[in-house]
Structures are given as structure tokens and as C-alpha cells.
Amino acid sequence: MKSLILSCGGSPEPLIFCINDYNPDFICFLCSNDSIDIANDIAKTCNLSDNQFTLKVVENHESLEDSFAKSREIINELKKEHSSVHVDFTGGTKPMVAGLVLAAIGENCTYSYIGSQNSQSRDKNGLGVVQDGFELIKNQRDPYDVFAVLEFEKGMDFFNKYQFEAAKFNFKQASEKLELDESREIAELLTYIMDVYDSWDKFNNLYNKKPIKTAFYNIVSKIEESKTLKEYFVENYPKFYHQLKLNHEFLEIKISRKGLIKMDDVKYYLPDLLNNAYRRIEEGKYDDAVARLYRSIELIAQVGLTDKGIIKSRVLADNKEFKIDLNKISQLDNFEVKTFIYELFEYERAIQYGKSHFGIGSDKSFQLLSKFDVEYATDYLNDKELKTNIGSRNGSILAHGLNPISKKKANKLYSQVLSYSKRVFPDLEKYMSMSEFPKFE
């Protein structure tokens, strides 16, 4: 079943020509009060039965808003019962035509306009109405479809909301739909960008078995080397492109050659993790955010222990784990630190099994740092308010209980963890700014 929508004005001949050419199963005339009789005359001329057509009246034919609303109503009704909807916008007032076209955009409709075979086929020296017998169907294409406007808009919106898979899907659809090489080049790069950010958001330092910073280098290089891509980003999304380049700079600092973690790299994981936690807060995923903040607290202590030089570098590089290096402890002159270490159960187990390193939990890490007279570690151990907020995480459904985390509590804990993070890494905010994900604005 195929249906036809005709905007009806004062010239019936083009509309009759369209009906005869298209041969629809059902016709809907979009009329003004003044063109109802003309629509009925057209139906009579074309021998249409009562169940083959309907009239829909725009009360104010000079209103774009009314025309759009009525057209949208018509399209929604026809799509429920007909496999295709064809729109011919030859007749009617300009607001009626504009409203009909706007309502049909993105609705998988097809379009046509009754034009003339040549300029001599119109009256008024070629500027007037098409003369009878000289009509010509001129099929049109939905510009939203031609330029994949909806796919681009949806892709950008999904990216701004950190829904990377959905964003990637829309840009991939756009690249498959676009015919112009330049437009397809943009869509293909955006698909790649979505995939790379999706990987980074999942804490992957590798992308296609290479350090993820290589992927960012490839993105920036593609944009700089292509006139099409450079014009698109610089002219349309300069803030996005600027932040993307800052992201690349940050990853160059954070990730060493071959993706191995070195002692000096550790602190850069903190701004990255905190930004990730804040993205979850923006999404309303407060339990996810607090789980990341809980890990951030432990990472603060691990950064501190790394700064003290007692983390075993080989284990960190190979296994990405923080272990206390017994050889480094034995070389210390600090009696309090040594005494604390030697009294730990984990130390005894390491000696018992002949190991050169061992791991400890978050609280013990802060206790160990306090033996080094690290002020923020002592403050943390005495911070009852922070401990209370951390306790709420233990009762959440992502830990040991069934209680959801509130937005207020997530924001409060984020603020507290951010404060301690600055103390272990004074340049934190600079690198949080560099590693913040860009947005299409």
C-alpha cells in the first residue's frame, strides 16, 4: 500500500498529473479552507472513491506551525497503515509547503515537485505556473538523508552522554549512507574516534595491540593532513579538536613506550580515574562513580608509596601491581617504617614463602605513609567524615549491600577524594583538564 500526500493550492492540473503518474493506493490532500473544493474536484476528476482519499485542513494556511503540526499528524497516521509515504509539495501556500516538508524530513518519505519541461513551459515569461501538458515530475531527495544529518546529530549527542557504542553505530550508519567522498571521510573518522574514546573510557591503555596514544596520534595526523577533515573540525568544532589534541598530549605523558608502566607514570592515572568517576556522576551512575572513587583513595596511597621509592618497579611494569619491595625496605634508615613493615602479617607470609615483595591494602598503605610523616596520610586516617562516606560504598549494591548511592553522596565523596588527590599530586587539576573528554558544542 503506497500513499500520497498533496499540498493543495489553486492550480489543480499539476496535482492531477502527479496522481496519474504516481498511481497511489490512497491520497491525503493537505488543504486550506479555501482549497477544499479544489481538492474535491481533483478527486472527482481522477475518479477517486471515498475510501481512496481524505482531506486534512490547515486552519491557518499562513502559519508554519499549524502546517507542520497537521502534516506531522497526517504522516504518523499514514505510516501506520501504508508501506510508503510519498510527499508532493507543488501546491499550497509557502507556509503549508514548508510545514509539510519539515514534518516529512527524517521520516523515510519520498518527495516530488511538479516542475516544467523548460522555461518556455511556464506563463509570465517563464516565472509563473506550469502550463497544462508541460508538467514534469521532479523527484527530490530528503537532504537529512542525503547528508546523514540525523545520524550525525544522534552520534554527537550520544558521544556527549558517553554512550560510545551508540555513537559509533550512528556514525557508521552515516558513512554507509553518504555518497560524497568528503562527507564519508568525516563520518569514518568520527566512527574511529568514538571507538578510541570507548576504549579509553574502559581504562584500556592499548588499542588494537598498540598504546592508545598511537591511536590519538593517528587521529590528529589524519585531521592535519586532510583539508576536508581540518576544515570540518576547525570551522565547526574547534573546542572539540583543541581538547582532543590535549588528550593526545596527556596520553603521551601518561603512557610510556610500548605501554609499560614506569614509576613516574603512576600519578597520571589519578586524574584519569577521577575524570572517569565524574563522567559516571554526569550519567547518573552514582554507584559506578563511588566504586571508582573508592579505587582512587587506594591509588592516592599507592602514588604516595611510589614516591617514597618502596614499590617494586619490575612488578609494576610487568604485572601492573603495586607491591612493597623488601630490598628497598631493608635499605631504609627509618626505624618506624621498618618496625611497622616487620610487624605486618603480609611481611611474615612473604618471608615464609621466600618472596621479595608483598602487597597491602588501602588503610595499611596510609598507615605506612604516616610512618614516613606524610601529613595527608595522617589526616586521612583521622578523617571520620570521609570514612563514613566510604562506608556507604560498602553498603551499596556494587559492594556488599543492596543500597543505592545518592547523587548528593557521590558528589560529596568526589569532592573529598579530589581534595586528597591534590595533596599527593599538586598538578592534578592541570592534568585533569588535559584528560577531560571533549564535547561537540
Side-chain angles (χ1 to χ4, degrees):
M1 293 284 288
K2 58 181 184 178
S3 57
L4 171 65
I5 304 174
L6 292 167
S7 51
C8 188
S11 301
E13 291 81 7
L15 306 191
I16 294 170
F17 181 83
C18 180
I19 293 170
N20 291 332
D21 183 87
Y22 190 66
N23 191 28
D25 297 297
F26 187 80
I27 299 169
C28 179
F29 292 95
L30 179 67
C31 309
S32 66
N33 285 305
D34 295 333
S35 61
I36 292 175
D37 290 342
I38 295 173
N40 281 318
D41 288 343
I42 293 173
K44 186 176 180 180
T45 301
C46 295
N47 297 316
L48 300 177
S49 62
D50 290 344
N51 62 354
Q52 286 184 297
F53 76 99
T54 187
L55 306 181
K56 295 289 185 178
V57 179
V58 178
E59 292 300 329
N60 183 357
H61 62 273
E62 293 185 332
S63 167
L64 177 61
E65 183 180 347
D66 287 0
S67 301
F68 174 83
K70 183 58 69 174
S71 299
R72 188 176 179 84
E73 174 190 313
I74 295 167
I75 292 169
N76 287 336
E77 287 179 5
L78 293 177
K79 285 178 68 176
K80 291 177 182 178
E81 298 182 7
H82 298 87
S83 59
S84 66
V85 178
H86 185 82
V87 173
D88 186 279
F89 50 88
T90 304
T93 63
K94 288 181 172 63
M96 286 173 61
V97 170
L100 176 58
V101 172
L102 286 172
I105 283 176
E107 295 292 342
N108 292 321
C109 299
T110 54
Y111 302 81
S112 65
Y113 171 76
I114 309 302
S116 60
Q117 296 177 12
N118 51 58
S119 60
Q120 287 73 40
S121 303
R122 291 179 179 269
D123 59 16
K124 298 182 180 179
N125 296 320
L127 299 175
V129 177
V130 178
Q131 296 181 44
D132 191 16
F134 290 92
E135 297 91 352
L136 180 67
I137 294 279
K138 297 193 174 182
N139 291 313
Q140 311 290 319
R141 296 179 63 187
D142 186 339
Y144 265 54
D145 198 45
V146 173
F147 297 103
V149 174
L150 291 178
E151 286 81 3
F152 272 88
E153 288 181 349
K154 287 180 182 178
M156 291 176 182
D157 186 53
F158 279 126
F159 179 83
N160 287 348
K161 294 175 180 175
Y162 314 122
Q163 297 179 37
F164 304 107
E165 285 291 342
K168 183 169 60 174
F169 175 78
N170 275 278
F171 286 124
K172 187 175 181 180
Q173 276 195 322
S175 66
E176 292 171 353
K177 178 182 289 187
L178 292 164
E179 297 177 6
L180 293 174
D181 290 341
E182 294 83 357
S183 299
R184 197 179 330 70
E185 183 183 10
I186 294 167
E188 288 173 352
L189 180 64
L190 286 169
T191 304
Y192 179 50
I193 289 173
M194 300 304 105
D195 202 35
V196 173
Y197 273 102
D198 185 32
S199 184
W200 184 9
D201 192 55
K202 293 173 180 172
F203 303 107
N204 290 330
N205 282 341
L206 296 179
Y207 181 82
N208 288 341
K209 299 181 180 180
K210 295 180 180 179
I212 196 168
K213 64 180 183 180
T214 304
F216 274 86
Y217 172 80
N218 292 336
I219 291 169
V220 174
S221 297
K222 284 176 182 290
I223 294 173
E224 291 295 330
E225 293 167 5
S226 167
K227 181 181 178 182
T228 297
L229 295 174
K230 192 164 187 177
E231 286 181 354
Y232 178 79
F233 282 98
V234 172
E235 292 180 9
N236 297 295
Y237 303 102
K239 290 182 181 179
F240 183 98
Y241 185 45
H242 175 71
Q243 189 62 30
L244 187 149
K245 289 194 289 185
L246 287 178
N247 289 167
H248 176 223
E249 288 180 34
F250 171 79
L251 291 172
E252 285 285 354
I253 297 168
K254 175 191 169 188
I255 302 172
S256 60
R257 190 170 60 87
K258 296 182 180 180
L260 295 175
I261 298 176
K262 298 191 294 186
M263 304 289 272
D264 292 340
D265 300 337
V266 170
K267 58 181 175 289
Y268 298 109
Y269 283 77
L270 195 51
D272 202 357
L273 183 55
L274 286 168
N275 276 339
N276 195 296
Y278 194 75
R279 289 196 292 273
R280 304 293 80 83
I281 291 176
E282 285 187 274
E283 288 183 282
K285 297 177 180 177
Y286 307 123
D287 289 85
D288 288 343
V290 168
R292 285 156 172 75
L293 293 172
Y294 187 83
R295 173 67 186 100
S296 299
I297 291 169
E298 185 179 36
L299 184 56
I300 289 169
Q302 290 169 338
V303 170
L305 294 175
T306 304
D307 287 343
K308 292 301 177 184
I310 60 172
I311 295 297
K312 196 169 183 68
S313 59
R314 189 73 263 164
V315 175
L316 180 62
D318 292 345
N319 302 333
K320 298 179 174 63
E321 296 178 346
F322 293 87
K323 303 293 183 181
I324 303 297
D325 190 332
L326 289 179
N327 184 51
K328 296 289 181 66
I329 294 297
S330 66
Q331 297 173 12
L332 293 175
D333 294 328
N334 191 316
F335 176 77
E336 280 196 55
V337 170
K338 284 187 173 183
T339 301
F340 180 81
I341 290 288
Y342 297 153
E343 291 178 352
L344 289 174
F345 170 76
E346 293 86 351
Y347 170 79
E348 292 180 3
R349 294 276 291 177
I351 295 299
Q352 181 181 350
Y353 290 101
K355 293 186 176 181
S356 62
H357 56 271
F358 66 90
I360 57 175
S362 180
D363 278 355
K364 287 181 180 178
S365 294
F366 278 104
Q367 291 169 23
L368 177 54
L369 283 170
S370 71
K371 302 303 178 184
F372 281 103
D373 294 324
V374 175
E375 188 176 357
Y376 67 79
T378 303
D379 291 344
Y380 167 83
L381 294 170
N382 296 321
D383 194 334
K384 294 181 180 179
E385 185 182 12
L386 177 58
K387 294 292 180 65
T388 299
N389 286 330
I390 292 173
S392 66
R393 173 264 175 190
N394 293 328
S396 80
I397 197 165
L398 294 185
H400 312 296
L402 297 173
N403 297 305
I405 300 293
S406 68
K407 178 180 180 179
K408 181 178 180 181
K409 190 150 289 184
N411 278 318
K412 178 62 177 177
L413 186 58
Y414 174 82
S415 178
Q416 290 173 311
V417 174
L418 181 64
S419 177
Y420 278 99
S421 299
K422 291 177 187 176
R423 295 174 71 179
V424 71
F425 188 16
D427 290 333
L428 178 82
E429 289 183 308
K430 170 186 173 182
Y431 292 102
M432 285 186 71
S433 179
M434 287 181 67
S435 58
E436 182 180 352
F437 280 19
K439 293 202 176 197
F440 291 100
E441 297 175 335

